[in-house]
Amino acid sequence: MSRKFSPQAVFFDLDGTLVDSVPDLAEAARRMLAELGEAPRTDAEVASFVGKGIPVLVERLLTVGRGPVPEDRLAQGLASFLKHYDDTNGLLTTAYPGVLEALPLLLARGLKMGVVTNKAEAFVAPLLEKLGLLAFMDVIVGGDTLAQKKPDPEPLWHACTQVGVAREAALMVGDSGNDALCARRAGLPVLLMTYGYNEGVAVDTEDCDGLLSSLVELPPLLTNT
């Protein structure tokens, strides 16, 4: 990648970008589906359902390939999933290779950093803390922090405001078309990780400013030193 960036802040998606959380999500899904008397899902199916927040994940778990379900069944599934994910969050999730190496390098450059995710906010800080990532983050914007969630641009704009950085001085790093669309709508450049979750769509087909195979590839692309 030849393009360089000069951000004052870098905002990261969480699932599929900083951390591989499918094992914990899949375990919560198995417990939820068993509790509701539904057939199980594979880890690969769960991975393809991730990206638009827990309510959408639960809806997909219950309906994709199985037909519609009534609203009260969705509500029952959501309550069950949240209960089980509270127990499984952080048990098997790991930071991707390169993340723990790259974040100190970005911090040393004086960059503000934050997580902008569609995961419910209550699950984000505990997970980051368990993985040793929380101390690097100046702001967390979850899927229920605001009335809007990605791909609406407001979560990114809110993150900029919280860290005191102009919108044009921020960079988004994600793993999906949802992240790319959010950044485009917000007017931010966006880089996508090649290893994450993109709902079964090849990430190199998305409208972004570049692809990264490891987060350690990011610091050399930044010129604000």
Side-chain angles (χ1 to χ4, degrees):
M1 190 190 311
S2 59
R3 181 173 175 183
K4 300 292 185 178
F5 304 88
S6 301
Q8 296 174 20
V10 180
F11 300 122
F12 303 96
D13 175 54
L14 184 60
D15 303 277
T17 299
L18 295 178
V19 305
D20 180 9
S21 55
V22 162
D24 291 341
L25 293 166
E27 178 59 25
R30 278 188 285 272
R31 296 181 188 185
M32 178 205 78
L33 292 168
E35 184 174 302
L36 270 59
E38 299 281 349
R41 295 283 195 176
T42 66
D43 285 16
E45 285 179 299
V46 175
S48 72
F49 298 158
V50 172
K52 291 189 168 67
I54 290 175
V56 174
L57 170 60
V58 169
E59 181 180 5
R60 290 171 172 174
L61 287 167
L62 292 174
T63 64
V64 171
R66 301 181 179 183
V69 297
E71 287 297 321
D72 61 342
R73 184 66 165 174
L74 291 176
Q76 184 183 11
L78 179 58
S80 175
F81 184 91
L82 291 172
K83 175 186 66 178
H84 292 302
Y85 190 49
D86 191 48
D87 292 331
T88 66
N89 184 34
L91 291 180
L92 298 173
T93 293
T94 57
Y96 283 108
V99 170
L100 284 167
E101 293 79 11
L103 293 182
L105 298 178
L106 298 174
L107 183 65
R109 292 175 179 236
L111 290 166
K112 297 292 186 180
M113 289 184 281
V115 168
V116 179
T117 174
N118 280 346
K119 186 190 290 291
E121 186 177 349
F123 296 112
V124 179
L127 180 57
L128 293 173
E129 179 69 28
K130 286 181 181 180
L131 298 176
L133 305 179
L134 184 60
F136 295 102
M137 301 305 163
D138 299 291
V139 63
I140 292 172
V141 183
D144 53 358
T145 302
L146 308 171
Q148 306 88 354
K149 64 176 63 176
K150 298 182 299 182
D152 191 283
E154 191 58 40
L156 278 176
W157 291 340
H158 179 72
C160 289
T161 299
Q162 292 300 302
V163 300
V165 167
R167 296 174 182 178
E168 60 270 18
L171 169 70
M172 177 68 186
V173 179
D175 68 302
S176 70
N178 201 50
D179 295 319
L181 180 57
C182 177
R184 286 286 182 256
R185 289 176 173 176
L188 275 61
V190 56
L191 301 174
L192 298 180
M193 310 306 300
T194 58
Y195 51 61
Y197 320 139
N198 194 30
E199 302 176 89
V201 178
V203 72
D204 60 3
T205 65
E206 301 294 353
D207 175 24
C208 65
D209 296 292
L211 300 173
L212 303 173
S213 61
S214 170
L215 202 61
V216 294
E217 297 174 359
L218 178 58
L221 300 178
L222 306 183
T223 61
N224 59 332
T225 56

